Amino acid sequence: MGRPRKAGELKLITGNPGKRAVPKSIKAGVASSSTRAPRHLSSAASAVWRAVLPQLVASKTIADIDLGILAVYCEAAATVAESTDAINREGAVINSPHGQIASPHVRVRSDASARMMRAASVLGIGQKNRQGLTEIAGADAADEEERFFVRSG
């Protein structure tokens, strides 16, 4: 199984080593910062939603179709926080009839961290992605300016 296909914007950010044509992304409806968190999210995940969504909307990097991925990201972030709290309370190692073993919370946190990172990369969350998206937004603004202020001969 190969790597998942990158969006055109992410190819511009991360580079295009194969020098293949970069497809123009399909413009979906941009999400609104007033979009409510899905009811199935936990209260901790809803808090993450309320913190992250306005930032993604402000950077114009999230569309309505991406809200399911954002829900996965929020739930994973809440699970990481809850697992970390449990590890801090109970310890990373527990006693069992067979001796000391790793706490189940360690595995839960590891799995949730992996889900969170995958969702973050799809959503364009991360320092490298933010930097690239800012550069793209600057290029879009320059194109817009050029279209309206065409120099005459």
Side-chain angles (χ1 to χ4, degrees):
M1 184 173 185
R3 291 183 182 173
R5 183 176 262 179
K6 287 184 185 177
E9 289 87 357
L10 288 179
K11 273 194 177 182
L12 291 173
I13 294 167
T14 58
N16 188 8
K19 305 298 182 212
R20 295 187 181 109
V22 178
K24 297 218 179 218
S25 294
I26 298 170
K27 296 293 181 186
V30 177
S32 167
S33 59
S34 64
T35 303
R36 298 181 66 96
R39 282 188 243 168
H40 67 272
L41 291 183
S42 66
S43 60
S46 293
V48 174
W49 177 283
R50 288 188 302 274
V52 173
L53 182 63
Q55 294 176 32
L56 292 173
V57 169
S59 65
K60 297 179 182 173
T61 59
I62 190 162
D64 289 332
I65 199 165
D66 300 326
L67 295 178
I69 299 167
L70 179 60
V72 170
Y73 174 84
C74 294
E75 199 61 62
T79 302
V80 167
E82 291 166 5
S83 299
T84 301
D85 288 345
I87 291 168
N88 289 339
R89 267 192 327 273
E90 302 166 12
V93 177
I94 59 172
N95 293 320
S96 77
H98 304 290
Q100 290 189 329
I101 60 170
S103 169
H105 298 294
V106 173
R107 177 67 186 261
V108 169
R109 181 176 65 179
S110 176
D111 291 347
S113 294
R115 279 194 319 274
M116 186 176 148
M117 295 305 293
R118 282 192 304 270
S121 70
V122 170
L123 291 169
I125 298 173
Q127 183 176 3
K128 185 175 181 179
N129 291 336
R130 278 193 312 273
Q131 179 183 2
L133 290 172
T134 304
E135 291 168 4
I136 291 170
D140 288 346
D143 291 345
E144 186 95 3
E145 185 177 301
E146 187 175 308
R147 193 167 13 135
F148 289 108
F149 300 108
V150 178
R151 295 180 190 172
S152 56

